[in-house]
Amino acid sequence: GPVSNVALFRSNPSEPEAPNAPRSNLAERTSWSTFVSVLPCYDGGCPVTQFGFEIQEVSDGSIMQTPVWGTNPPDEKGYYFYSINTLRPGRIYKFRAFAVNEIGSSEWSEWSDELETHPFAPEAPTTPPRLMEPDAYNFTATWDDIPGNGSPVKEWVIQWSVDPQFSSKNSIREAKVAERTYRCNRCLPGLVMHVRVAGINSEGQSHFGPSASIKTLYDKPVQCA
């Protein structure tokens, strides 16, 4: 028989397929952020308008989710780029993404390759040093370790002064030490000494932490001839 007329049929759109695993840009990573790119797969017959990401810190398995972000124009290969700036220094991360169109959301993509952020200077101490064993001219200070931000703390700066604000350079005594204990010297008898500590790693020095104070003992009087 004769050929029939062509019948046209359009299926209803659906949620998009899961995108490809995100890619991170090693050249543009910092201690706190990186750019990730994501390439969508089939859009379900309806344009993809948003992407969301999940961030996993590899060391402890903890997961963070980003907001769902709208799309910017893709590059010539179809990749969409996003800046993720909630990372921490010296950590290893993986990323995965989902796509959104007007019908709904895709499944999660596969995880990306691992990315390590750059280390950074240590965090400042949060507790004051512990001071003990004073005599008229010396006392001992000890203190807690601090997070190294991806590079271990190898050295410490300890300062002690009669000035609680550490504003007068002439009144400040300072030492750099490898251990978390030090016998502070060159003090004067019967005065209150204030002490603070900062840590140093390969990336720099932390801010000084809170200070503690201790009073040196009085010295024996000198007998005049």
Side-chain angles (χ1 to χ4, degrees), residues 155-217:
E155 194 173 29
W156 302 88
V157 179
I158 179 170
Q159 292 184 342
W160 61 103
S161 174
V162 294
D163 175 12
Q165 305 301 322
F166 294 87
S167 57
S168 174
K169 291 185 178 181
N170 292 335
S171 72
I172 296 175
R173 305 287 186 264
E174 181 178 290
K176 286 187 177 182
V177 296
E179 303 298 327
R180 288 188 287 113
T181 184
Y182 186 71
R183 184 71 175 168
C184 301
N185 52 26
R186 294 180 295 160
C187 303
L188 294 175
L191 295 180
V192 175
M193 304 300 298
H194 304 274
V195 186
R196 63 182 185 177
V197 173
I200 301 174
N201 67 6
S202 63
E203 305 304 307
Q205 179 178 315
S206 75
H207 294 291
F208 282 98
S211 63
S213 60
I214 190 171
K215 187 174 182 178
T216 56
L217 303 183

Side-chain angles (χ1 to χ4, degrees), residues 19 27 41 71-72 79 84 104 127 136 145-146 157 172 193 195-196 225:
C41 292
T71 55
N72 294 311
Y79 284 90
I84 295 180
T127 57
D145 203 359
I146 57 176
V157 179
I172 296 175
M193 304 300 298
V195 186
R196 63 182 185 177

Side-chain angles (χ1 to χ4, degrees), residues 94-115:
K94 296 191 297 184
F95 309 92
R96 64 179 182 175
F98 65 89
V100 180
N101 64 14
E102 68 176 24
I103 305 302
S105 302
S106 74
E107 299 293 328
W108 286 105
S109 71
E110 297 295 323
W111 287 103
S112 69
D113 293 336
E114 294 179 353
L115 167 95

Side-chain angles (χ1 to χ4, degrees), residues 31-174:
S31 300
W32 312 95
S33 65
T34 187
F35 277 96
V36 294
S37 59
V38 59
L39 180 67
C41 292
Y42 177 59
D43 63 8
C46 189
V48 171
T49 57
Q50 294 176 306
F51 289 97
F53 294 86
E54 211 166 54
I55 307 162
Q56 183 183 70
E57 187 173 330
V58 174
S59 61
D60 60 9
S62 61
I63 290 179
M64 302 178 288
Q65 285 192 355
T66 70
V68 179
W69 290 315
T71 55
N72 294 311
D75 68 4
E76 66 278 2
K77 296 182 179 179
Y79 284 90
Y80 294 85
F81 289 81
Y82 295 89
S83 174
I84 295 180
N85 55 11
T86 54
L87 309 181
R88 300 175 63 192
R91 307 302 205 278
I92 298 174
Y93 292 97
K94 296 191 297 184
F95 309 92
R96 64 179 182 175
F98 65 89
V100 180
N101 64 14
E102 68 176 24
I103 305 302
S105 302
S106 74
E107 299 293 328
W108 286 105
S109 71
E110 297 295 323
W111 287 103
S112 69
D113 293 336
E114 294 179 353
L115 167 95
E116 184 173 7
T117 54
H118 293 305
F120 198 72
E123 298 179 17
T126 58
T127 57
R130 296 176 294 278
L131 310 178
M132 62 198 76
E133 301 172 352
D135 59 28
Y137 300 96
N138 312 274
F139 60 87
T140 298
T142 65
W143 54 91
D144 296 326
D145 203 359
I146 57 176
N149 277 338
S151 176
V153 176
K154 296 293 188 181
E155 194 173 29
W156 302 88
V157 179
I158 179 170
Q159 292 184 342
W160 61 103
S161 174
V162 294
D163 175 12
Q165 305 301 322
F166 294 87
S167 57
S168 174
K169 291 185 178 181
N170 292 335
S171 72
I172 296 175
R173 305 287 186 264
E174 181 178 290

